[in-house]
């Protein structure tokens, strides 16, 4: 097995990974691994946009305040300030890379059009129509592909981080030296080594049955970091986006929050009347946890399959101009959004918790950094404010790169690493076990660890997760590795971390709402799990 040796390994080719790569590559040889195609992460699916203080009259203080209010006060104020103060520069850099943000047409001559989303007290979201992520991903990929020091490797699924335990000369120092990864087309395991490794593997949306996140969002980075010895924090905070399309054929299609920002109203399909004003004075523009819980409440109260999101009262040209992608997509499903409402339901959308990092993107392990949705940086607290997450990817992708460059001479050579051992495994003749367990995890997480929780349901979920963990460990130890098995092994770890964190929180705060502890405690404390 050849050792693919680079200066820095980046696992993940979304906003966080590619930002880090571009910031390192002028002086370092970088490899970026993606488990599928480069644009299969969540980044390319982002619709609404990126939050930054750009409107005259808006202030950093106001964006910080909105972030902390949405986050239920659990945010780390230093992180919030760090990210928000770096936001305007991050937007400038993306524009310089060629991201065609919609131009402003405001009377004050704003450079970019700013839309509004829930929880923001100002117009603050730069966007490229309703398909911002795709434009960002394309610009980053183009720049990375053009850089001679960046090697982009697709279809390479990271299995586990390489530490001193895998070195020819055993070391217990915990330093990360690279990663073992499965080349999916050949089924062969490759070894990548480097002085520094950055995890940018995105979130774990797929641990739930219904999710807006793409198939690869199986929490691989969180599980790999946990197995290697990193602390993981705030995993109970799973953000359910209030408005995913309800359609029996098309799964996972998001209807952007910007539609509510531009006047879209949530209505009951039974009487066509708005219901959000009954729940919150901010109505449709309350933070996501509030809106998702209200929809869940109405769906359960009235035995509905969905509620309606209606923008048809706005002029048709306005709707088509602001939401061209959604308009075209729904027209193919027979829904003309300029004339009729859209059936919507909440769906798992964003993983607020993750691998603990500091302001330089450093994890607990020497040589290992992390950026983006895989992390718990302190930005989001108990509930992420809309459009703050792409921003986090740009700011921490750059911060990690800067720290690596500044401390390059302190990173030792990774040394000689042992080969991947396949001598005791055989080809599986029971793939059904993997498929069944994938489905089972996502189902019990949806039913028992959803928007409204109880201790009894969480205990049931923990019991199931523990049984599945034993089954998956047994399977992993005996059969040759596949991409589905890698993801299943990670999903079960992430499910367990979520349930354990939820059980540990004896209050309701932000996205964690439990009938057994409905009040919020006076002090906001992170849940930190130590491996
Ligand atoms: P991702 O973009 O998810 O990339 C993860 C990368 O890691 C991929 O390249 C993947 O292949 C790779 N990877 C994963 N596991 C492995 C492995 N084992 N081996 C190798 N590679 C691996 N946020 C906003 O701020 N604004 C929005 O408008 C917005 N809209 C959204 C709309 C949708 C539908 C969704 C799902 C999310 C949205 N978000 C939005 C959230 C935001 O898109 C994500 O938080 C962000 O893109 C995450 O970027 P990332 O770089 O951390 O990870
Ligand atoms: C959306 O467009 O509603 C998604 C925005 C986000 O997740 O931040």
């Amino acid at each position: 097995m050849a050792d693919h040796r680079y200066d820095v390994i980046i696992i993940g080719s979304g906003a966080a990974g590619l930002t880090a790569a571009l910031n390192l590559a002028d002086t370092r040889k970088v490899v970026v691994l993606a488990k599928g195609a480069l644009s299969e992460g969540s980044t390319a699916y982002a619709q609404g946009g990126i939050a930054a203080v750009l409107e005259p009259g808006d202030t950093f203080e106001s964006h910080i305040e909105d972030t902390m209010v949405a986050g239920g006060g659990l945010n780390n104020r230093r992180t919030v300030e760090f990210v928000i103060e770096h936001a305007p520069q991050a937007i400038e850099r993306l524009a310089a890379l060629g991201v065609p943000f919609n131009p402003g047409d405001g009377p004050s001559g704003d450079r970019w059009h700013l839309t509004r989303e829930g929880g923001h007290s100002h117009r603050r979201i730069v966007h490229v129509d309703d398909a911002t992520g795709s434009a960002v991903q394309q610009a980053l990929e183009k720049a990375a592909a053009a850089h001679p020091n960046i090697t982009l490797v697709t279809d390479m699924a990271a299995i586990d981080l390489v530490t001193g335990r895998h070195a020819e000369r055993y070391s217990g120092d915990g330093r990360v030296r690279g990663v073992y990864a499965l080349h999916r087309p050949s089924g062969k395991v490759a070894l990548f080594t480097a002085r520094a490794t950055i995890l940018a593997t995105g979130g774990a949306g797929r641990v739930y049955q219904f999710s807006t996140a793409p198939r690869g969002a199986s929490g691989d980075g969180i599980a790999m970091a946990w197995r290697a010895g990193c602390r993981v924090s705030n995993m109970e905070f799973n953000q359910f986006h209030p408005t995913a399309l309800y359609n029996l054929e098309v799964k996972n299609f998001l209807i952007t929050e910007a539609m509510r920002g531009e006047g879209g109203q949530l209505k009951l399909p039974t009487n066509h009347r708005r219901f959000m004003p009954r729940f919150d004075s901010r109505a449709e523009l309350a933070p996501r946890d509030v809106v998702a819980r209200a929809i869940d409440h109405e769906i359960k109260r009235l035995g509905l399959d969905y509620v309606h999101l209606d923008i048809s009262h706005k002029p048709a040209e306005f709707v088509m101009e602001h939401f061209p992608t959604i308009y075209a997509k729904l027209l193919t499903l027979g829904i003309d959004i300029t004339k009729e409402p859209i059936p919507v339901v909440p769906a798992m959308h964003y993983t607020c918790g993750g691998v603990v990092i500091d302001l330089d993107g450093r994890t607990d392990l020497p040589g290992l950094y992390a950026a983006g949705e895989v992390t718990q940086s302190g930005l989001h607290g108990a509930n992420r404010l809309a459009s703050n997450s792409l921003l986090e990817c740009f700011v921490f992708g750059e911060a990690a790169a800067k720290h690596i460059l500044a401390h390059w001479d302190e990173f030792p050579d990774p040394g000689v690493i042992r080969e991947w051992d396949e001598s005791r495994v055989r080809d599986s003749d029971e793939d059904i076990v993997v498929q069944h367990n994938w489905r089972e995890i996502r189902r019990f997480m949806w039913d028992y660890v959803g928007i409204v929780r109880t201790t009894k349901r969480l205990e049931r979920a923990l019991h199931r997760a523990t049984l599945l963990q034993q089954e998956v460990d047994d399977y992993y130890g005996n059969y040759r590795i596949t991409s589905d098995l890698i993801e299943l092994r990670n999903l079960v770890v992430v499910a367990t971390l979520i349930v354990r964190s939820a059980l540990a929180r004896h209050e309701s705060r932000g996205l964690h709402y439990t009938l057994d502890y409905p009040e919020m405690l006076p002090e906001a404390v992170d849940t930190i799990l130590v491996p």
Side-chain angles (χ1 to χ4, degrees), residues 12-13 15-16 35 42-43 46 48-49 156 158 201 220 350 373 387 389-390:
S13 60
K35 73 174 158 184
S42 292
T43 299
M156 189 62 81
T201 44
D220 296 1
Y350 185 82
E373 195 172 334
S387 288
S389 51
L390 283 171

Side-chain angles (χ1 to χ4, degrees), residues 32 51 67 77 86 92 173 181 230 242 256 273 291 300 322 337 346 357 367 464 475 483 529:
V32 179
T67 301
R77 195 175 174 98
H86 283 84
E92 286 292 347
D173 65 5
C230 292
T256 178
R273 293 171 72 154
V291 181
K300 289 194 172 124
H322 279 77
I337 65 170
I357 56 165
R464 275 164 181 74
Y475 198 90
S483 181
L529 300 181

Side-chain angles (χ1 to χ4, degrees), residues 70-72 74-75 202-205 208 222 232-240 288-289 348-357 372-386 388-389 392 453 494 498 509-512 526-527:
L74 191 64
N75 326 57
Y208 284 92
I222 297 171
V232 166
S233 168
N234 290 352
M235 289 299 290
E236 66 274 38
F237 299 111
N238 310 109
Q239 184 171 78
F240 289 77
R288 280 185 192 167
D289 55 335
M348 165 60 180
H349 182 64
Y350 185 82
T351 310
C352 292
V355 181
V356 176
I357 56 165
E373 195 172 334
V374 67
T375 67
Q376 203 287 85
S377 67
L379 175 63
H380 306 306
N383 176 29
R384 173 178 68 101
L385 183 64
N388 265 357
S389 51
E392 183 185 38
R453 299 163 177 178
V494 169
I498 292 173
R509 184 185 296 273
L511 298 160
H512 176 72
D526 286 329
T527 308

